[in-house]
Amino acid sequence: MEVASDVHSWDELIPDTLGVIFAKLSIQERLTVIPRVCKSWARAVTGPYCWQEIDIDDWSSFCEPQHIERMVEMLITRSSGSLRKLSVSGLQTERIFNFIAENAGSLRNLRMIRCNMSNHVVEKMSGRLSRISVLDLSYCMQIGDEGIKIIGKNCKQLEVFCRNMHPLDTSGQPLDDAEAFAIATNMPKLRHLEMAYHLISNDGVHQILSSCMKLEHLDLRGCWGVQLDNMSLNQKFPNLKILGPHVLGWDDSSDISDSSSDYVDSDMDEYDDESDDDMWYDGIRIEGLELRVRVYVGIEDAGMHWPASP
C-alpha cells in the first residue's frame, strides 16, 4: 500500500498561490528572473497578486521620467484594480497622475516623491484617493497650502502624511505657516507627520498640536524657525515623539541626498532572434550595475518551448 505524502510539487500550486509567493521577491527578480523559469511561472508573475504593492522608488531615482511612467503604467495594469501600495519618484506628467487616480480604488499607501504635481493635479486626483491612509508628497515643490487643504478634505482616513523638503529648496526663505495651518484644519486624524526642513514656525507647530490630537510622531528636523519647550510639550503630549528641529552633523545637504538619472539604452542586437512582439526591453543602471528588464507580453508564444514547472 502506498503511503500518502504531504510533499507537493510546485506545478500543483495554482497561479494565485504562486503570485502570493512571488510578491515576496524583489521587483528585479519578479521582472527578470521569474518570467524566464517556465511558462506557468511567467503567467503567474503577471497576475494581480504579484503587484498589489509596487515600490520602485529606488529604481525610479535613476531613470528618465518617460521610462518611469511606462513602468508605472505596466505594473498598475497588472494589479488589475487590486493596487494597495505605490511608491515612486520623479513622475512629471498630468497623464500619469490621472492614470494612477483612475486605478486607485484599493489604494491605501501612496508615496510620490519629487514629482511635478501642482495644486490643480491634486484637485483632480484627490477625489479618487478617499481610502488613502498613508501619503508622502515630499519634495513636491509645486504643491502649496491649497493642495494640502484639498487632500485633507477628500482623504478623511489619512493617518500618515509626509511633506519633507530639501534644505537647499528652503534655505534663506521666509517662514510660512500656510501649509501647517492647512494640515491642522483639515487632517485631524493624523498620527504621523513629517515636515523636515519646512518653513514652519512655533505658531504652525502649536496649531498642529492643538488640532491633531491623535498625533504620535512629529518630524521637525531642520525646521530652524521652531523653538520648542520640551518640558512643556512632554507634560501636555506625553505620547508624542518629536524629532528636531536640530539635526546632528547638519549641513546644507547632509540629511537628504539628490538623485540622478542615468538611462542606458538596450542592446537589441543581442536579441535579434527574439520577436519584438513578445518582449519589451529597458536597460537600467542601478548603483553601477546594468540590469536588463525583460517583461514578457506574449506569454503563450514566448513560453512555448520552456520547460515544465519545477
Side-chain angles (χ1 to χ4, degrees), residues 84-116:
R84 295 184 302 199
K85 175 183 177 180
L86 174 64
S87 181
V88 62
S89 63
L91 297 178
Q92 299 294 317
T93 67
E94 186 171 333
R95 183 188 64 82
I96 192 63
F97 296 130
N98 290 336
F99 180 81
I100 292 171
E102 290 169 359
N103 292 273
S106 300
L107 196 59
R108 299 290 190 278
N109 186 326
L110 178 60
R111 299 180 183 272
M112 296 194 296
I113 302 169
R114 291 183 292 275
C115 292
N116 187 30

Side-chain angles (χ1 to χ4, degrees), residues 19 22 30 34-35 40-51 74-75 77-80 295-297 299:
F22 295 156
R30 278 178 278 166
I34 296 301
S40 63
W41 282 27
R43 184 181 295 110
V45 82
T46 61
Y49 284 98
C50 274
W51 307 104
M74 181 189 69
L75 298 183
T77 299
R78 287 187 174 191
S79 73
S80 300
V295 181
Y296 287 84
V297 179
I299 292 297

Side-chain angles (χ1 to χ4, degrees), residues 33-271:
V33 178
I34 296 301
R36 304 172 70 177
V37 174
C38 64
K39 182 178 179 179
S40 63
W41 282 27
R43 184 181 295 110
V45 82
T46 61
Y49 284 98
C50 274
W51 307 104
Q52 292 180 343
E53 296 189 0
I54 300 172
D55 186 347
I56 56 173
D57 182 33
D58 291 339
W59 175 86
S60 56
S61 296
F62 293 86
C63 293
E64 297 290 343
Q66 64 269 28
H67 303 301
I68 301 171
E69 294 188 6
R70 287 171 61 193
M71 181 69 83
V72 168
E73 285 187 86
M74 181 189 69
L75 298 183
I76 289 181
T77 299
R78 287 187 174 191
S79 73
S80 300
S82 63
L83 181 66
R84 295 184 302 199
K85 175 183 177 180
L86 174 64
S87 181
V88 62
S89 63
L91 297 178
Q92 299 294 317
T93 67
E94 186 171 333
R95 183 188 64 82
I96 192 63
F97 296 130
N98 290 336
F99 180 81
I100 292 171
E102 290 169 359
N103 292 273
S106 300
L107 196 59
R108 299 290 190 278
N109 186 326
L110 178 60
R111 299 180 183 272
M112 296 194 296
I113 302 169
R114 291 183 292 275
C115 292
N116 187 30
M117 297 181 67
S118 64
N119 290 337
H120 171 69
V121 171
V122 169
E123 184 175 11
K124 294 186 66 175
M125 288 187 68
S126 58
R128 301 188 180 187
L129 302 178
S130 59
R131 306 180 76 174
I132 290 288
S133 60
V134 178
L135 181 61
D136 189 342
L137 297 177
S138 296
Y139 323 124
C140 297
M141 301 302 297
Q142 303 303 317
I143 299 176
D145 60 295
E146 289 301 321
I148 303 300
K149 292 177 184 177
I150 294 170
I151 292 170
K153 291 177 180 178
N154 287 276
C155 304
K156 298 295 186 180
Q157 300 182 37
L158 196 61
E159 295 185 346
V160 177
F161 186 49
C162 302
R163 189 75 177 110
N164 301 309
M165 295 294 180
H166 194 289
L168 296 181
D169 291 327
T170 57
S171 178
Q173 300 295 320
L175 297 179
D176 186 351
D177 286 316
E179 287 196 20
F181 292 156
I183 291 171
T185 304
N186 298 282
M187 300 180 180
K189 295 183 179 180
L190 285 183
R191 296 182 181 274
H192 182 112
L193 175 61
E194 296 181 13
M195 299 187 72
Y197 297 102
H198 229 278
L199 298 169
I200 190 173
S201 72
N202 277 7
D203 290 340
V205 173
H206 288 303
Q207 190 68 34
I208 289 173
L209 295 180
S210 299
S211 302
C212 304
M213 303 302 296
K214 297 182 179 181
L215 203 60
E216 299 172 354
H217 180 101
L218 178 59
D219 190 344
L220 297 173
R221 287 176 294 179
C223 298
W224 308 119
V226 176
Q227 300 295 327
L228 298 176
D229 182 348
N230 291 329
M231 183 174 296
S232 175
L233 288 175
N234 289 336
Q235 294 174 349
K236 293 181 179 179
F237 308 99
N239 297 323
L240 176 63
K241 178 181 179 180
I242 298 180
L243 299 181
H246 297 292
V247 180
L248 295 178
W250 179 86
D251 59 38
D252 281 347
S253 59
S254 63
D255 199 50
I256 305 175
S257 60
D258 288 324
S259 62
S260 60
S261 299
D262 187 8
Y263 176 72
V264 182
D265 291 331
S266 301
D267 182 6
M268 299 298 292
D269 294 337
E270 183 181 352
Y271 300 98

